[in-house]
Amino acid sequence: MKRPALQPDCLVIGIGNPLRGDDGVGTLLAEQVGGRSVHQLTPELAADLAPLQRVLFIDAWLAPQQPGPVPQPRLDPLPAVTPGVGSGASHHLDPAQLLAITAALYGRAPSAFWLRIPAHSFSHGRDFSHRLKASLPAARRLLRRWLVDA
């Protein structure tokens, strides 16, 4: 099956460290669709976001360590941003903060979504945990759906 193409006015940004186990899932998925991978979000990315219509952030989130079914990845729309930037500057931002900086500097920000994939192990190495591997098919379906809707 052919993977949907990334539109020129859209960007997928994978956040994480591919050398820290499950933390690398965002970079893996972003690179698979021609997106961009970063270790963390920084204010300098605002210039790249300003001309876009849509952006998807992909990141691992620390899943609850309780027994039971593997949590499913979530695709969450980020709230509309206002041009005011919150308290203090940082070299490590969450997507909503980066969008607020983009709006403050450029007068606009793209519509944004956040694909969060439950992570369980952040040990050194490139191997994903078995639980993260089990959630990859669902994460890829959400990513593909976002690409098609672009």
Side-chain angles (χ1 to χ4, degrees), residues 45-131:
L45 290 169
D48 296 335
L49 296 186
L52 299 175
Q53 293 301 312
R54 297 179 65 197
V55 62
L56 173 65
F57 298 95
I58 305 175
D59 199 6
W61 61 274
L62 187 57
Q65 296 298 322
Q66 55 200 0
V70 175
Q72 291 299 305
R74 300 185 319 204
L75 184 63
D76 299 322
L78 290 169
V81 294
T82 57
V85 178
S87 62
S90 173
H91 290 285
H92 180 72
L93 306 169
D94 71 30
Q97 291 170 314
L98 178 57
L99 293 167
I101 290 170
T102 303
L105 293 175
Y106 298 95
R108 68 170 309 280
S111 64
F113 294 83
W114 196 358
L115 176 53
R116 295 186 284 173
I117 302 163
H120 306 274
S121 173
F122 295 90
S123 59
H124 291 281
R126 293 184 176 270
D127 294 331
F128 293 143
S129 68
H130 293 293
R131 295 181 76 188

Side-chain angles (χ1 to χ4, degrees), residues 25 29 72-73 117 130-144:
V25 70
L29 293 174
Q72 291 299 305
I117 302 163
H130 293 293
R131 295 181 76 188
L132 185 127
K133 287 178 186 176
S135 67
L136 275 176
R140 285 189 172 109
R141 281 191 298 275
L142 290 169
L143 173 56
R144 195 168 24 255

